[in-house]
Amino acid sequence: MYTFSDLWNTPPDDSSIIRYWSYEKFLDLLSRKQIYFREISKFIETDPKEGMIPYANRNILAGGFLRVQFRNEIIEAYHDYAKLNQIVKFCQHFTCINCWSLSDKENYRMWKEYAGRDNIEGAVAIKTTIGNLKDAFSSTKQEVFIGKIKYVRHEKYRNKNYDPFSFAFLKDKVTYDWEKELRLAVVNFDETNKIIQELNGINSIEDFFRINLDKNNGIEYTMVDCNLNKLIDEVILSPWVNTEMEMKIVELLKEKGLGNTVIKQSYYKQAVQR
């Protein structure tokens, strides 16, 4: 279910959002009726700043503290950037995210970068609202947090919130602000998490700070149940869609009990198919 948190800025319920899906991921969504959330530390492969403490914060945080509770243990660090960073990395291995774009209009660059390179004629965009998104998770077991990404300049921005999970909603302004990202997050402490397995073998809090979190996978991903009838306002077809694929998607939606879904042509269709 959607859970409010004052850590993150959740837009009004009537705010429009769009997410771009490859055909394969769209088919998986309709078949499972679940949304895929990826462990945030996995995004560091393409964005080394993802979820990390901004450069300008390092000296400030070195004079403060971070704290996280694991089971009955309080793990905290004071005046030591290496330990503070370890706590932030630790949180990343339990935090999984799913990303949307806060917009009521399509974005051609988003189609190109996020709708898949293969079978691009079968890609779709799902358009909905924040309110629908909340409703779609109303019966799920996991707590789902929703917030706008705060785009910052890592060399200048000073985060005054010392909660280690607050860094999960910061991104580099120069590279990514065009995405207008809305981020969904779940925190998963499943016992299959390899980090938990390693924590079970430590004898002291100091041992925690010796764990090499860069070499350990956490939960990797989480699947979250979702009511698609509540989620989907519109399905926008790929700008490169052909008649055969359009009919295939229409039949697929009918087959999955979504036959009343509004289906629209892409704003960019005429431009790319001239």
Side-chain angles (χ1 to χ4, degrees), residues 22-73:
S22 68
Y23 178 76
E24 291 72 23
K25 290 181 179 179
F26 181 59
L27 178 60
D28 186 68
L29 171 72
L30 298 189
S31 300
R32 291 176 182 262
K33 295 181 173 59
Q34 293 179 318
I35 289 183
Y36 174 89
F37 284 67
R38 189 184 188 197
E39 182 184 322
I40 193 171
S41 64
K42 300 300 180 185
F43 290 89
I44 294 177
E45 298 167 5
T46 54
D47 178 13
K49 299 174 183 177
E50 179 70 65
M52 299 306 296
I53 299 173
Y55 302 137
N57 261 58
R58 296 186 178 191
N59 290 334
I60 292 177
L61 282 178
F65 73 94
L66 292 178
R67 174 186 295 169
V68 67
Q69 181 170 345
F70 178 71
R71 296 200 176 104
N72 295 322
E73 296 283 348

Side-chain angles (χ1 to χ4, degrees), residues 58-99:
R58 296 186 178 191
N59 290 334
I60 292 177
L61 282 178
F65 73 94
L66 292 178
R67 174 186 295 169
V68 67
Q69 181 170 345
F70 178 71
R71 296 200 176 104
N72 295 322
E73 296 283 348
I74 298 295
I75 302 171
E76 54 192 4
Y78 296 82
H79 312 297
D80 185 328
Y81 173 73
K83 287 185 175 181
L84 297 167
N85 196 46
Q86 181 82 341
I87 289 177
V88 172
K89 284 186 177 181
F90 170 76
C91 293
Q92 287 184 344
H93 284 296
F94 296 93
T95 305
C96 296
I97 61 173
N98 180 269
C99 309

Side-chain angles (χ1 to χ4, degrees), residues 29 38 45 63 75 80 91 100 102 106 112 130 135 146 158 165 170 176 188 206 209 247 253 258 269:
L29 171 72
R38 189 184 188 197
E45 298 167 5
I75 302 171
D80 185 328
C91 293
W100 294 68
L102 191 61
E106 297 171 66
K112 293 291 287 185
I130 298 292
D135 289 342
I146 300 173
R158 296 182 176 183
F165 286 101
L170 299 179
Y176 293 104
N188 190 331
E206 283 305 310
F209 291 108
M247 294 306 300
L253 288 166
L258 297 164
K269 181 178 180 180

Side-chain angles (χ1 to χ4, degrees), residues 1-2 133-140 227 230:
M1 62 179 176
Y2 164 70
L133 196 61
K134 292 177 181 178
D135 289 342
F137 293 120
S138 61
S139 298
T140 61
N227 186 320
K230 293 181 178 179

Side-chain angles (χ1 to χ4, degrees), residues 202-262:
I202 67 175
N203 298 312
S204 69
I205 296 300
E206 283 305 310
D207 288 339
F208 164 81
F209 291 108
R210 299 188 185 100
I211 297 174
N212 188 339
L213 294 174
D214 292 326
K215 290 187 177 181
N216 286 277
N217 290 320
I219 197 65
E220 297 195 31
Y221 69 90
T222 298
M223 302 302 298
V224 178
D225 292 339
C226 179
N227 186 320
L228 299 183
N229 284 294
K230 293 181 178 179
L231 174 70
I232 302 173
D233 259 355
E234 300 174 5
V235 169
I236 304 171
L237 301 173
S238 167
W240 299 271
V241 71
N242 54 44
T243 302
E244 180 182 356
M245 181 55 74
E246 181 176 343
M247 294 306 300
K248 187 174 182 179
I249 291 172
V250 169
E251 290 304 314
L252 178 63
L253 288 166
K254 289 180 181 178
E255 177 189 328
K256 300 301 181 181
L258 297 164
N260 293 326
T261 301
V262 175

Side-chain angles (χ1 to χ4, degrees), residues 117-132:
R117 298 184 184 279
D118 299 322
N119 196 17
I120 195 168
E121 67 273 10
V124 302
I126 290 177
K127 185 176 180 181
T128 190
T129 64
I130 298 292
N132 288 347

